[in-house]
Amino acid sequence: MDTLGFLGPLGTHSEAAALHLNGLLDEPRELCAYPTIFQALLAVEEGQADGALVPVENSLEGSVNITLDALSAGDALTVTLELIWGVRNELMMKYPKERVRRIISHAQPLSQCRDYLKAHHATADLVAVSSTAEAARLVAESRPEDGCAAICTARAGELYGLYALAQDIQDTMANCTRFFLVERAGKKPPALRFSNEPVPEKLLVICQIDGKRAGSLCEVLQEFAVRGVNMLRIESRPARTKLGAYTFFFELEADAAEPLAASVEAVREKSIWLRTLGTFPVLTAANLKGASLWSSL
């Protein structure tokens, strides 16, 4: 059985998304938790895992840089699927009658819930840890006088015997995280259990251009625009070679094969280097309020 890595431990949003994806795959995979996103991706690169479902962007807090950097670091990895997962955060305690003095979570949920925390727990200390599940574990081991609470998933609370003080405390119900299924280069998108549902697709392109030349980025963007290729997202990251050098990530709507291929080749000619990381389907989980199961781009 193929393996699917995710950011652990058990009870994280990443595990919840991986469980959901496993239910959509024609051939479910064995789930494997990793301590960090980097370690999950490294396991795929080194052949210790067949794939990893890793976060790439949150709708409130933006890009997950370690995922982008790993994808741009070499040609060993490809993206074979995207899953848009609705993030639902809960405030949970082991001793719910105690006053909340300290709130523990991953840095992302702490930021995603800042309005709620300001309104209801403005004096509480905020402590960032490696994952929401780790926060739940720490709260489960705390003493009543510590007044510790965790922002975590309902599953993490169940795993560690916590009680919910408040549910859906994220600043907006549209809070969601995009996950990439990352596998070794050359793999095709996995077979899904549904067959008749129309699923939109993307192409991910990574390149480095000469940023010292005026208008170089504009020229690249024009190659997509003049051919009618819809750009869904653009992101830049330091190229990690020298100050002022940047790598660009382009996510493109893949509904017109010929114009898409022509635009990519034109951009390749204007780039220092360019890689395509695969054309892949985009799925939206049903737990994202206001969204159907399959997304439209």
Side-chain angles (χ1 to χ4, degrees), residues 78-81 188-189 201-204 254 260 277-281:
T78 190
V79 177
T80 58
L81 182 144
K188 297 180 180 180
E201 292 190 332
K202 284 182 182 178
L203 173 67
L204 177 61
L260 184 62
L277 270 76
T279 300
F280 50 89

Side-chain angles (χ1 to χ4, degrees), residues 121-271:
H121 301 286
T123 61
D125 294 329
L126 305 182
V127 179
V129 294
S130 60
S131 70
T132 53
E134 173 64 9
R137 185 189 69 81
L138 291 172
V139 169
E141 294 179 353
S142 66
R143 303 168 300 175
E145 58 268 28
D146 296 331
C148 289
I151 299 177
C152 60
T153 65
R155 172 170 162 78
E158 293 173 359
L159 288 171
Y160 291 101
L162 306 183
Y163 300 89
L165 297 182
Q167 298 174 315
D168 287 332
I169 64 172
Q170 57 274 4
D171 293 343
T172 171
M173 290 307 298
N175 184 20
C176 61
T177 294
R178 297 193 306 126
F179 286 85
F180 279 169
L181 174 56
V182 178
E183 301 183 275
R184 287 190 61 80
K187 290 205 69 172
K188 297 180 180 180
L192 302 172
R193 287 184 175 174
F194 63 92
S195 57
N196 297 322
E197 293 282 355
V199 180
E201 292 190 332
K202 284 182 182 178
L203 173 67
L204 177 61
V205 175
I206 305 177
C207 67
Q208 185 178 348
I209 62 176
D210 183 4
K212 294 182 179 179
R213 187 170 59 82
S216 56
L217 178 58
C218 180
E219 292 176 5
V220 166
L221 298 179
Q222 280 293 329
E223 297 295 349
F224 299 124
V226 297
R227 294 175 175 84
V229 174
N230 186 25
M231 182 182 300
L232 302 165
R233 184 170 181 265
I234 180 174
E235 177 81 18
S236 65
R237 287 287 299 151
R240 302 170 71 87
T241 55
K242 62 181 179 179
L243 186 65
Y246 291 90
T247 299
F248 289 88
F249 297 75
F250 301 108
E251 294 183 26
L252 308 167
E253 189 172 310
D255 62 347
E258 291 185 11
L260 184 62
S263 62
V264 170
E265 288 309 307
V267 171
R268 189 187 304 275
E269 294 179 1
K270 291 178 167 60
S271 302

